[in-house]
Amino acid sequence: MSNAPRARVRRALKALLDVCAFVAVSPAIAASAAEDRLLPGADSIFACCAQLMAWLPGDPGVVARRAFYRGTLEACAREWYIGFGSIFTHRRARVDQGAYIGAYALVGCARLGAGSLVGSRVSLLSGGSQHELQADGTWSPTDRRQLRQIDIGAHAWIGEGAIVMADVGAKAMVAAGAVVSTAVPPRTMVAGNPARFVRLLEPPTPGRTEHEHAAGL
């Protein structure tokens, strides 16, 4: 069998698996939809189902999680990846084609642009104003009215363990462990806590190694 027929067979099998997964998780999708209709703004059933899906292992788990979120998020592409232990904590999220989420990530109200890469143990928070200091000196619980959908630009890369509460531009890079509280421009690398500018990112020049390009040689 030549490459073209094999590719068609793979695509057909993948589509069939996606349909089967969608049917399998449809009770969870229906329960989450009913909660959203009857109790606008409530996320308890959605969160419970998301947590259950997070612990399904292997490729079947990836397919099941993808199907569940296609049926529950604001918008969700067909082709993307979400690793073991990762969950969306709110329905108010969007996933574009080719996005990747590593293991044990927490995604709040966020839009993941096409081809964006989210490393393992990353936290994408719903903005930076979820709590406020009250008159008695205590911190308020999460105020859903203050949640903001942050934007992770197309082909941006969020390194392992980073905490992000602001927009990240297209093709930008957030280094591992960084804490991002202000917007990151496109094609910019930031690192540290709080995250600070490191350098502008440009495609490597032919004939130079990545190290030479980074060093400006």
Side-chain angles (χ1 to χ4, degrees):
M1 187 182 292
S2 65
N3 288 337
R6 281 182 185 149
R8 285 196 294 270
V9 170
R10 282 197 297 269
R11 285 196 298 269
L13 287 174
K14 192 169 185 179
L16 178 60
L17 286 174
D18 285 341
V19 170
C20 291
F22 198 86
V23 171
V25 302
S26 58
I29 293 173
S32 297
E35 176 187 44
D36 193 35
R37 280 197 308 272
L38 298 173
L39 301 168
D43 275 331
S44 297
I45 294 176
F46 169 81
C48 179
C49 294
Q51 289 162 12
L52 289 173
M53 298 293 167
W55 298 109
L56 296 176
D59 289 340
V62 174
V63 176
R65 284 187 286 278
R66 195 164 55 202
F68 172 71
Y69 289 124
R70 276 178 53 211
T72 54
L73 298 183
E74 279 188 353
C76 188
R78 183 179 295 274
E79 297 289 337
W80 60 293
Y81 180 93
I82 177 167
F84 180 79
S86 292
I87 66 169
F88 283 79
T89 59
H90 299 287
R91 309 168 197 269
R92 191 182 164 197
R94 294 172 173 263
V95 182
D96 291 345
Q97 195 79 356
Y100 175 95
I101 302 174
Y104 303 108
L106 294 176
V107 183
C109 300
R111 175 176 179 174
L112 306 184
S116 56
L117 305 173
V118 177
S120 57
R121 291 185 287 275
V122 163
S123 292
L124 302 181
L125 305 184
S126 307
S129 302
Q130 300 179 54
H131 308 274
E132 62 181 6
L133 191 61
Q134 302 178 113
D136 62 358
T138 61
W139 289 98
S140 68
T142 299
D143 184 349
R144 293 184 179 276
R145 296 169 299 177
Q146 299 295 324
L147 300 185
R148 186 178 75 81
Q149 189 175 85
I150 64 171
D151 188 78
I152 307 301
H155 302 287
W157 178 13
I158 312 299
E160 179 168 356
I163 299 173
V164 180
M165 59 190 86
D167 295 344
V168 176
K171 299 182 180 179
M173 177 184 176
V174 175
V179 178
V180 176
S181 57
T182 58
V184 177
R187 293 183 178 275
T188 302
M189 178 181 179
V190 298
N193 179 9
R196 293 182 174 86
F197 173 85
V198 176
R199 64 184 174 95
L200 294 176
L201 300 172
E202 298 293 341
T205 303
R208 287 196 298 176
T209 67
E210 184 178 346
H211 175 73
E212 290 172 333
H213 176 78
L217 301 176

